[in-house]
Amino acid sequence: MASMQAVTPFVATAPGKAILFGEHAVVYGRPAIAVPVTDVQARAALSPGVPGAGVSLVAADLPAADGSPGGRRYRLRDAPADDPLRVIVELALDAFAGPIPEPDLLVTITSTIPIARGLGSGAAVATAVARALAGYLGYSPQPEEISQLVYEVEKLHHGTPSGIDNTVIAYEQPVYFVRGEGVKRLAVGANFNLVVADTGVASSTRAVVGDVRRRWEADRERYEGLFDEIGAVARLAKAAIQRGDRHAVGRLMDENHDLLSTLGVSSAELDRLVGAARAAGAWGAKLSGAGWGGNMLALVEPEQAPAVATALRAAGATNAVMSRVA
Ligand code: PMV
């Protein structure tokens, strides 16, 4: 195991992510496309801890246990067994070092990824922690190893995650993802630019996914049909992205958004932002992630991005960042 006497703390980061196509249907085996959003990042830094205290976690950007803002600081051994940070630390130590006494470490987590907005904040924090611990232990994990550990944490957040978040964040590449199949990196024929805008409305992925499941259980034929249509859009989008056809990608984003609205996961705020982006000249726009709130995406020409971002803010977006898919 590496010695912490030396100096530089072990630091690792992980990006946010956006689902470009196929959310929800991906839970039911249809393909989806996701991209890393590197403009927002989670970061984990390890430094020597209090001797005998084991691992302590400082999470300045996460809400306190009672839900109030202002950060959390706690010892791993005092946290509930299903605390997501405790789980990723224990899984990573076990995977990368085997059974060792709990090291005395301070794990400081910071993140610029908004929480509960469909940008993969939970998976990114877990990825950064796992990577930092791997570095500390002198281990160089493959993306798939990290992805599988983070998937375990995703189950705590989401219940029945498809695995797309942990995959795109661990691989840090555009991916074409089908649940249960190997990861396919998606080659991008021509770079394209997204504006990622926040409705300001927090949304629980678990709640939205659970609601879709209840409706699917009540009317499987209708929902399987919708998932098939979303899957078909994702397949066409894969080809359009590969050949660098922004016009087609934008049109397919519009189609995907309409199907998500029919699925019942859009909201007045999301529809307003999507409409504003299209009116400001975006190639296409859609909600991204679970829905009912969180973020939407607009596909834009680089020179249009500032005007689209301004239009989105005027339509109520609390934040709008630009991201390049390459
Ligand atoms: O809210 P997010 O971005 O974590 O997105 C969840 C994506 C879903 O397809 C709705 C669920 C899943 O597990 O893939």
Side-chain angles (χ1 to χ4, degrees), residues 17 19 23-24 26-27 118-119 158 160-165 205 209 289-290:
K17 72 98 217 317
I19 300 183
E23 48 272 270
H24 288 289
V26 67
V27 176
L119 289 182
H158 290 189
T160 55
S162 63
I164 192 168
D165 281 22
T205 300
V209 169

PDB file of all heavy atoms in Angstrom, residues 17 19 23-24 26-27 118-119 158 160-165 205 209 289-290, ligand 1:
ATOM      1  N   LYS A  17     -22.517  13.637 -16.716  1.00  0.00           N
ATOM      2  CA  LYS A  17     -22.942  12.953 -17.946  1.00  0.00           C
ATOM      3  C   LYS A  17     -24.313  13.471 -18.383  1.00  0.00           C
ATOM      4  O   LYS A  17     -25.067  14.035 -17.579  1.00  0.00           O
ATOM      5  CB  LYS A  17     -23.009  11.439 -17.733  1.00  0.00           C
ATOM      6  CG  LYS A  17     -24.193  11.006 -16.853  1.00  0.00           C
ATOM      7  CD  LYS A  17     -25.367  10.536 -17.664  1.00  0.00           C
ATOM      8  CE  LYS A  17     -26.730  10.874 -17.171  1.00  0.00           C
ATOM      9  NZ  LYS A  17     -27.309  10.855 -15.955  1.00  0.00           N
ATOM     10  N   ILE A  19     -27.653  12.097 -20.864  1.00  0.00           N
ATOM     11  CA  ILE A  19     -28.220  11.078 -21.753  1.00  0.00           C
ATOM     12  C   ILE A  19     -28.772  11.807 -22.973  1.00  0.00           C
ATOM     13  O   ILE A  19     -29.611  12.693 -22.860  1.00  0.00           O
ATOM     14  CB  ILE A  19     -29.311  10.256 -21.042  1.00  0.00           C
ATOM     15  CG1 ILE A  19     -28.699   9.558 -19.821  1.00  0.00           C
ATOM     16  CG2 ILE A  19     -29.909   9.231 -22.011  1.00  0.00           C
ATOM     17  CD1 ILE A  19     -29.634   8.651 -19.059  1.00  0.00           C
ATOM     18  N   GLU A  23     -33.311   7.492 -22.605  1.00  0.00           N
ATOM     19  CA  GLU A  23     -33.578   7.297 -21.178  1.00  0.00           C
ATOM     20  C   GLU A  23     -34.923   6.606 -20.966  1.00  0.00           C
ATOM     21  O   GLU A  23     -35.816   6.677 -21.812  1.00  0.00           O
ATOM     22  CB  GLU A  23     -33.502   8.605 -20.372  1.00  0.00           C
ATOM     23  CG  GLU A  23     -34.238   9.793 -20.899  1.00  0.00           C
ATOM     24  CD  GLU A  23     -33.379  10.578 -21.869  1.00  0.00           C
ATOM     25  OE1 GLU A  23     -32.653  11.500 -21.477  1.00  0.00           O
ATOM     26  OE2 GLU A  23     -33.499  10.263 -23.075  1.00  0.00           O
ATOM     27  N   HIS A  24     -35.077   5.963 -19.893  1.00  0.00           N
ATOM     28  CA  HIS A  24     -36.243   5.147 -19.507  1.00  0.00           C
ATOM     29  C   HIS A  24     -36.345   3.868 -20.340  1.00  0.00           C
ATOM     30  O   HIS A  24     -36.367   2.774 -19.762  1.00  0.00           O
ATOM     31  CB  HIS A  24     -37.559   5.940 -19.548  1.00  0.00           C
ATOM     32  CG  HIS A  24     -37.639   6.932 -18.416  1.00  0.00           C
ATOM     33  ND1 HIS A  24     -37.809   6.538 -17.109  1.00  0.00           N
ATOM     34  CD2 HIS A  24     -37.524   8.285 -18.386  1.00  0.00           C
ATOM     35  CE1 HIS A  24     -37.811   7.614 -16.331  1.00  0.00           C
ATOM     36  NE2 HIS A  24     -37.623   8.680 -17.079  1.00  0.00           N
ATOM     37  N   VAL A  26     -34.142   2.499 -21.858  1.00  0.00           N
ATOM     38  CA  VAL A  26     -32.908   1.736 -21.613  1.00  0.00           C
ATOM     39  C   VAL A  26     -33.069   0.792 -20.422  1.00  0.00           C
ATOM     40  O   VAL A  26     -32.453  -0.276 -20.370  1.00  0.00           O
ATOM     41  CB  VAL A  26     -31.704   2.705 -21.415  1.00  0.00           C
ATOM     42  CG1 VAL A  26     -31.813   3.519 -20.136  1.00  0.00           C
ATOM     43  CG2 VAL A  26     -30.379   1.970 -21.460  1.00  0.00           C
ATOM     44  N   VAL A  27     -33.934   1.164 -19.480  1.00  0.00           N
ATOM     45  CA  VAL A  27     -34.177   0.293 -18.318  1.00  0.00           C
ATOM     46  C   VAL A  27     -34.859  -1.003 -18.788  1.00  0.00           C
ATOM     47  O   VAL A  27     -34.744  -2.045 -18.157  1.00  0.00           O
ATOM     48  CB  VAL A  27     -35.053   1.039 -17.278  1.00  0.00           C
ATOM     49  CG1 VAL A  27     -35.409   0.153 -16.100  1.00  0.00           C
ATOM     50  CG2 VAL A  27     -34.361   2.321 -16.804  1.00  0.00           C
ATOM     51  N   GLY A 118     -30.152  15.001 -13.130  1.00  0.00           N
ATOM     52  CA  GLY A 118     -29.929  14.163 -14.302  1.00  0.00           C
ATOM     53  C   GLY A 118     -28.542  14.276 -14.895  1.00  0.00           C
ATOM     54  O   GLY A 118     -28.311  13.848 -16.026  1.00  0.00           O
ATOM     55  N   LEU A 119     -27.591  14.821 -14.140  1.00  0.00           N
ATOM     56  CA  LEU A 119     -26.232  14.951 -14.682  1.00  0.00           C
ATOM     57  C   LEU A 119     -25.263  13.943 -14.051  1.00  0.00           C
ATOM     58  O   LEU A 119     -24.045  14.054 -14.204  1.00  0.00           O
ATOM     59  CB  LEU A 119     -25.712  16.378 -14.485  1.00  0.00           C
ATOM     60  CG  LEU A 119     -26.376  17.444 -15.364  1.00  0.00           C
ATOM     61  CD1 LEU A 119     -25.762  18.804 -15.115  1.00  0.00           C
ATOM     62  CD2 LEU A 119     -26.273  17.103 -16.850  1.00  0.00           C
ATOM     63  N   HIS A 158     -31.016   4.468  -7.094  1.00  0.00           N
ATOM     64  CA  HIS A 158     -32.061   4.361  -8.118  1.00  0.00           C
ATOM     65  C   HIS A 158     -32.958   3.153  -7.994  1.00  0.00           C
ATOM     66  O   HIS A 158     -33.956   3.085  -8.679  1.00  0.00           O
ATOM     67  CB  HIS A 158     -31.426   4.248  -9.510  1.00  0.00           C
ATOM     68  CG  HIS A 158     -30.766   5.501  -9.986  1.00  0.00           C
ATOM     69  ND1 HIS A 158     -30.305   5.644 -11.254  1.00  0.00           N
ATOM     70  CD2 HIS A 158     -30.512   6.658  -9.362  1.00  0.00           C
ATOM     71  CE1 HIS A 158     -29.771   6.843 -11.398  1.00  0.00           C
ATOM     72  NE2 HIS A 158     -29.880   7.469 -10.251  1.00  0.00           N
ATOM     73  N   THR A 160     -33.473   0.364  -9.637  1.00  0.00           N
ATOM     74  CA  THR A 160     -33.254  -0.532 -10.785  1.00  0.00           C
ATOM     75  C   THR A 160     -32.500   0.195 -11.897  1.00  0.00           C
ATOM     76  O   THR A 160     -33.025   0.357 -13.002  1.00  0.00           O
ATOM     77  CB  THR A 160     -34.600  -1.009 -11.367  1.00  0.00           C
ATOM     78  OG1 THR A 160     -35.380   0.182 -11.690  1.00  0.00           O
ATOM     79  CG2 THR A 160     -35.366  -1.886 -10.417  1.00  0.00           C
ATOM     80  N   PRO A 161     -31.275   0.642 -11.644  1.00  0.00           N
ATOM     81  CA  PRO A 161     -30.587   1.421 -12.679  1.00  0.00           C
ATOM     82  C   PRO A 161     -30.230   0.568 -13.894  1.00  0.00           C
ATOM     83  O   PRO A 161     -29.954  -0.617 -13.763  1.00  0.00           O
ATOM     84  CB  PRO A 161     -29.312   1.893 -11.974  1.00  0.00           C
ATOM     85  CG  PRO A 161     -29.071   0.884 -10.907  1.00  0.00           C
ATOM     86  CD  PRO A 161     -30.431   0.397 -10.480  1.00  0.00           C
ATOM     87  N   SER A 162     -30.242   1.212 -15.055  1.00  0.00           N
ATOM     88  CA  SER A 162     -29.833   0.490 -16.264  1.00  0.00           C
ATOM     89  C   SER A 162     -28.335   0.262 -16.291  1.00  0.00           C
ATOM     90  O   SER A 162     -27.850  -0.649 -16.955  1.00  0.00           O
ATOM     91  CB  SER A 162     -30.226   1.288 -17.501  1.00  0.00           C
ATOM     92  OG  SER A 162     -29.538   2.527 -17.504  1.00  0.00           O
ATOM     93  N   GLY A 163     -27.566   1.134 -15.606  1.00  0.00           N
ATOM     94  CA  GLY A 163     -26.103   1.046 -15.659  1.00  0.00           C
ATOM     95  C   GLY A 163     -25.483   2.046 -16.621  1.00  0.00           C
ATOM     96  O   GLY A 163     -24.267   2.094 -16.781  1.00  0.00           O
ATOM     97  N   ILE A 164     -26.298   2.878 -17.257  1.00  0.00           N
ATOM     98  CA  ILE A 164     -25.735   3.799 -18.264  1.00  0.00           C
ATOM     99  C   ILE A 164     -24.902   4.901 -17.608  1.00  0.00           C
ATOM    100  O   ILE A 164     -23.860   5.296 -18.136  1.00  0.00           O
ATOM    101  CB  ILE A 164     -26.842   4.383 -19.179  1.00  0.00           C
ATOM    102  CG1 ILE A 164     -26.204   5.083 -20.385  1.00  0.00           C
ATOM    103  CG2 ILE A 164     -27.793   5.299 -18.429  1.00  0.00           C
ATOM    104  CD1 ILE A 164     -27.187   5.431 -21.484  1.00  0.00           C
ATOM    105  N   ASP A 165     -25.315   5.382 -16.419  1.00  0.00           N
ATOM    106  CA  ASP A 165     -24.584   6.491 -15.784  1.00  0.00           C
ATOM    107  C   ASP A 165     -23.166   6.062 -15.403  1.00  0.00           C
ATOM    108  O   ASP A 165     -22.189   6.727 -15.757  1.00  0.00           O
ATOM    109  CB  ASP A 165     -25.307   6.960 -14.510  1.00  0.00           C
ATOM    110  CG  ASP A 165     -26.485   7.857 -14.801  1.00  0.00           C
ATOM    111  OD1 ASP A 165     -27.007   7.797 -15.928  1.00  0.00           O
ATOM    112  OD2 ASP A 165     -26.893   8.614 -13.901  1.00  0.00           O
ATOM    113  N   THR A 205     -34.737  10.417  -9.438  1.00  0.00           N
ATOM    114  CA  THR A 205     -34.744   9.387 -10.485  1.00  0.00           C
ATOM    115  C   THR A 205     -35.547   8.180 -10.019  1.00  0.00           C
ATOM    116  O   THR A 205     -36.333   7.609 -10.781  1.00  0.00           O
ATOM    117  CB  THR A 205     -33.297   8.978 -10.809  1.00  0.00           C
ATOM    118  OG1 THR A 205     -32.609  10.139 -11.257  1.00  0.00           O
ATOM    119  CG2 THR A 205     -33.234   7.921 -11.883  1.00  0.00           C
ATOM    120  N   VAL A 209     -38.607   6.774 -12.231  1.00  0.00           N
ATOM    121  CA  VAL A 209     -38.465   5.418 -12.777  1.00  0.00           C
ATOM    122  C   VAL A 209     -39.548   4.502 -12.171  1.00  0.00           C
ATOM    123  O   VAL A 209     -40.146   3.676 -12.872  1.00  0.00           O
ATOM    124  CB  VAL A 209     -37.035   4.875 -12.507  1.00  0.00           C
ATOM    125  CG1 VAL A 209     -36.935   3.390 -12.818  1.00  0.00           C
ATOM    126  CG2 VAL A 209     -36.017   5.652 -13.338  1.00  0.00           C
ATOM    127  N   GLY A 289     -32.222  12.611 -18.905  1.00  0.00           N
ATOM    128  CA  GLY A 289     -32.251  11.947 -17.598  1.00  0.00           C
ATOM    129  C   GLY A 289     -33.673  11.529 -17.266  1.00  0.00           C
ATOM    130  O   GLY A 289     -34.506  11.346 -18.152  1.00  0.00           O
ATOM    131  N   ALA A 290     -33.937  11.416 -15.987  1.00  0.00           N
ATOM    132  CA  ALA A 290     -35.216  10.845 -15.576  1.00  0.00           C
ATOM    133  C   ALA A 290     -36.411  11.732 -15.924  1.00  0.00           C
ATOM    134  O   ALA A 290     -37.497  11.234 -16.216  1.00  0.00           O
ATOM    135  CB  ALA A 290     -35.188  10.576 -14.079  1.00  0.00           C
TER     136      ALA A 290
HETATM  137  O1  PMV B   1     -31.735  10.951 -13.837  1.00  0.00           O
HETATM  138  P1  PMV B   1     -30.573  10.267 -14.399  1.00  0.00           P
HETATM  139  O2  PMV B   1     -29.802  11.039 -15.365  1.00  0.00           O
HETATM  140  O3  PMV B   1     -29.734   9.543 -13.431  1.00  0.00           O
HETATM  141  O4  PMV B   1     -31.139   9.265 -15.474  1.00  0.00           O
HETATM  142  C1  PMV B   1     -31.687   8.090 -15.277  1.00  0.00           C
HETATM  143  C2  PMV B   1     -31.858   7.467 -16.615  1.00  0.00           C
HETATM  144  C3  PMV B   1     -32.988   6.472 -16.635  1.00  0.00           C
HETATM  145  O5  PMV B   1     -32.955   5.879 -17.934  1.00  0.00           O
HETATM  146  C4  PMV B   1     -34.322   7.180 -16.448  1.00  0.00           C
HETATM  147  C5  PMV B   1     -32.818   5.407 -15.582  1.00  0.00           C
HETATM  148  C6  PMV B   1     -31.661   4.465 -15.825  1.00  0.00           C
HETATM  149  O6  PMV B   1     -31.297   3.763 -14.880  1.00  0.00           O
HETATM  150  O7  PMV B   1     -31.138   4.382 -16.945  1.00  0.00           O
END
